[in-house]
Amino acid sequence: MGKYEKLLEQILLGSSDANVDFDELCQLLLRLGFETRVRGSHHIFRKQGVEERINLQRDGSKAKMYQVRQVRAVILLYNLRGEIKWINTK
């Protein structure tokens, strides 16, 4: 199981919402097919077919807890679990 599958599992289980790395959460959303734009400290993610926009902000190096919960809700609502795309990050 790869890094992002483990992160996705961690988010879906809701076991440690306060301990999700911000940059890894952003990468996970990109791998799930979301597009991003940055406005100041706000990282806004959109995806075709997903009505909600996900707005993330850093809390140090971590993502904010309530925003991790929002990401989980969108992933479950739109059944995005199996849509991780492999992106060459080198």
Side-chain angles (χ1 to χ4, degrees), residues 32-82:
L32 288 172
F34 284 83
E35 297 175 358
T36 186
R37 71 176 185 170
V38 179
R39 292 234 182 213
S41 65
H42 296 264
H43 295 250
I44 302 164
F45 293 85
R46 297 179 3 192
K47 180 177 175 156
Q48 181 103 14
V50 174
E51 188 174 323
E52 293 83 359
R53 291 186 181 162
I54 298 172
N55 183 358
L56 301 180
Q57 292 176 280
R58 288 184 184 276
D59 188 10
S61 65
K62 305 295 182 188
K64 294 185 177 187
M65 266 179 58
Y66 78 93
Q67 293 172 342
V68 174
R69 287 188 214 119
Q70 290 173 346
V71 169
R72 178 174 42 255
V74 168
I75 290 170
L76 291 173
L77 179 64
Y78 292 95
N79 198 22
L80 301 175
R81 291 173 260 211

Side-chain angles (χ1 to χ4, degrees), residues 7 9-25 57-72:
L7 177 60
E9 183 179 313
Q10 175 187 350
I11 291 169
L12 293 177
L13 289 174
S15 58
S16 59
D17 290 346
N19 197 27
V20 175
D21 185 78
F22 178 82
D23 292 327
E24 289 181 2
L25 182 57
Q57 292 176 280
R58 288 184 184 276
D59 188 10
S61 65
K62 305 295 182 188
K64 294 185 177 187
M65 266 179 58
Y66 78 93
Q67 293 172 342
V68 174
R69 287 188 214 119
Q70 290 173 346
V71 169
R72 178 174 42 255

